[in-house]
Amino acid sequence: MMSIFDKFQQLVATRLELEKSCDKFFNIVMEEIISGTEAIVNGRPTILAGSNNYLGLSFDTDCIDAACDAVRKEGTGTTGSRMANGTFAGHLALERELAEYFDRQSAIVFSTGYVANLAMLSTLVGPGEVILLDADCHASIYDGCRLGRAEVHRFRHNDPQDLEKRLRRLEKRDTNVLVVAEGLYSMMGDRAPLVEIVAVKRAYGAYLMVDEAHSLGVLGKTGRGLAEEAGVEDGVDFVVGTFSKSLGAIGGFCVSNHPELDLVRYASRPYVFTASSSPSVIASTRAALKILQARSELRQRLWENANLLYNTLQNLDFAVGPEASPIVAIQLEDKAEAFALWSGLLENGVYVNLVLPPATPDGNCLLRSSVSAAHTPEQMARICRAFTAVRELTAVPQAV
Ligand SMILES: Cc1ncc(COP(=O)(O)O)c(C=O)c1O
């Protein structure tokens, strides 16, 4: 008899094969959390070099105190949608604070960054309209496109000329076009060529959305992301982002100067049909947003750590991405070698993420590390030593 799970047979076979090469890979549990940068993994203290805790705020005392106060005063959850009983004063305050910080007219807070993309893309652009997205965009962007049933075309990663070619083809169509890019790309940590993208989108009268998930708190004079760093905030119609990285919590948002942004609330299924963020999450996010603005030294420390790791891996001849960033990824063609490096790092007390195709941009395996402002100089030295140790253990990693 047929089983509903038959379609997963290929997946099961792949998993079994991968387990043979590296059974630890499927059984990673953070058994005890010591701090934002350290946990007990497989019974041993391990430095976390794979989280997106860029400013190290998940353990900040102000954020923790704010969350504890909120949970005591307002309970563990809102138990309702933003459209019903789930809008508390804190949600509105955070929306005001985000709009003010980004210097935009309005902001909407969503339950996660994934939901923010799902909500914005599925609502803004529908059947008969067009989305042009960078091929390396995050899965949540692709899923938002699917949910809205817009016509979707991908342009080559970080290639404004390819974008222009596609916009030119659409020129005679009387329809809305939304271009989507990310600030820092989540896998390789490379920046989008935003100045060029903004110039192209302006020339063709398209709209532009930038997902600053990995660049909020990381890029720009005040941490607003790549659009701020590149000086093109005026050219970005919608900024989306998440609270789950630099802000150390969970949640998502969109800010915009389009006065109609508020309409999304009424038309968006991912906004209406899910519970709103719990009060403690909103409270810690508000505290984190204040710290992000007040303590630029965190961004400076983050970049010192980012440059140190990038330069170390480059000097060790690993095939790293095109530019230094808090995301430092090594590309590897060979799965066995990727597993060996990943296990070797773990044995040396360092956890990084191993990302396998098809989740990677170009079909290679990725050893994706990320650093935090909270990594101490000693921890950074241990991370660098671990990479040096595994580099000596394995065959010479080939530049891809
Ligand atoms: C570019 C990008 N957008 C959105 C998301 C989703 O954010 P969240 O984890 O808050 O749902 C991620 C998550 O990694 C991401 O990398």
Side-chain angles (χ1 to χ4, degrees):
M1 199 169 107
M2 265 175 52
S3 152
I4 203 166
F5 296 107
D6 280 351
K7 55 185 163 294
F8 299 121
Q9 268 170 10
Q10 182 56 48
L11 197 74
V12 172
T14 309
R15 180 180 164 144
L16 282 174
E17 201 193 313
L18 293 176
E19 259 175 341
K20 270 190 238 148
S21 6
C22 193
D23 60 343
K24 279 197 284 265
F25 181 64
F26 292 98
N27 298 308
I28 286 292
V29 178
M30 304 290 140
E31 291 147 14
E32 193 187 319
I33 309 301
I34 298 169
S35 71
T37 54
E38 212 174 345
I40 303 291
V41 180
N42 291 339
R44 295 174 50 200
T46 303
I47 298 176
L48 303 176
S51 330
N52 302 306
N53 197 2
Y54 299 123
L55 301 181
L57 296 183
S58 67
F59 267 78
D60 180 272
T61 46
D62 285 357
C63 297
I64 292 173
D65 289 348
C68 291
D69 276 359
V71 85
R72 289 195 192 287
K73 285 191 193 133
E74 298 176 55
T76 52
T78 66
T79 70
S81 158
R82 288 293 306 271
M83 287 306 276
N85 58 301
T87 294
F88 288 14
H91 296 87
L92 296 182
L94 178 55
E95 285 173 346
R96 276 195 306 276
E97 287 156 8
L98 281 165
E100 210 172 289
Y101 168 55
F102 278 94
D103 199 16
R104 303 265 176 170
Q105 277 187 29
S106 33
I108 305 183
V109 162
F110 299 95
S111 301
T112 68
Y114 179 89
V115 167
N117 275 329
L118 218 56
M120 290 309 300
L121 289 158
S122 65
T123 312
L124 281 178
V125 198
E129 297 176 305
V130 181
I131 297 178
L132 288 178
L133 76 166
D134 185 289
D136 282 5
C137 275
H138 188 257
S140 55
I141 293 172
Y142 278 89
D143 291 357
C145 295
R146 270 194 219 160
L147 189 63
R149 288 176 291 122
E151 185 181 320
V152 180
H153 301 277
R154 299 188 304 170
F155 59 94
R156 272 200 302 270
H157 176 54
N158 275 356
D159 187 341
Q161 281 174 350
D162 193 42
L163 171 64
E164 207 218 334
K165 192 174 79 187
R166 286 163 202 280
L167 279 165
R168 210 178 317 125
R169 279 188 205 147
L170 291 166
E171 223 174 354
K172 293 204 176 68
R173 297 254 304 266
D174 185 21
T175 186
N176 291 311
V177 180
L178 177 71
V179 175
V180 189
E182 293 179 21
L184 273 183
Y185 282 88
S186 57
M187 288 293 143
M188 296 306 293
D190 50 335
R191 291 167 169 84
L194 216 47
V195 172
E196 293 82 353
I197 289 177
V198 165
V200 173
K201 84 105 196 181
R202 279 201 166 119
Y204 289 87
Y207 292 87
L208 175 62
M209 173 182 286
V210 177
D211 182 343
E212 301 267 22
H214 291 270
S215 28
L216 170 68
V218 171
L219 298 178
K221 193 160 169 277
T222 67
R224 293 203 293 242
L226 179 64
E228 184 186 29
E229 183 187 77
V232 291
E233 286 178 289
D234 281 359
V236 179
D237 300 273
F238 305 97
V239 175
V240 288
T242 171
F243 307 149
S244 70
K245 305 188 194 303
S246 283
L247 296 171
I250 183 161
F253 69 91
C254 174
V255 294
S256 175
N257 271 336
H258 287 284
E260 302 91 344
L261 181 70
D262 217 41
L263 296 173
V264 168
R265 295 183 202 269
Y266 306 97
S268 166
R269 297 172 69 83
Y271 179 83
V272 175
F273 295 106
T274 195
S276 62
S277 309
S278 60
S280 55
V281 161
I282 294 293
S284 81
T285 303
R286 291 180 64 197
L289 188 62
K290 281 201 189 97
I291 296 168
L292 183 154
Q293 294 170 76
R295 296 187 52 201
S296 60
E297 75 274 13
L298 293 177
R299 202 155 33 259
Q300 199 182 324
R301 214 177 301 151
L302 170 70
W303 275 98
E304 282 162 17
N305 289 343
N307 287 322
L308 173 63
L309 185 61
Y310 184 80
N311 293 337
T312 303
L313 297 194
Q314 209 172 34
N315 290 339
L316 286 168
D317 249 355
F318 281 118
V320 288
E323 55 184 308
S325 100
I327 300 163
V328 189
I330 298 174
Q331 288 173 286
L332 296 149
E333 278 175 349
D334 184 36
K335 255 191 208 128
E337 190 167 34
F339 278 126
L341 285 172
W342 180 81
S343 309
L345 288 168
L346 203 54
E347 275 153 31
N348 278 277
V350 174
Y351 175 85
V352 304
N353 288 307
L354 173 58
V355 194
L356 300 173
T360 54
D362 54 7
N364 288 308
C365 303
L366 273 189
L367 216 53
R368 180 190 178 278
S369 333
S370 37
V371 293
S372 166
H375 282 124
T376 62
E378 294 72 31
Q379 287 177 326
M380 287 307 301
R382 274 179 58 198
I383 295 171
C384 293
R385 272 203 305 277
F387 274 101
T388 309
V390 297
R391 173 69 180 75
E392 283 164 4
L393 279 174
T394 59
V396 178
Q398 299 295 308
V400 180

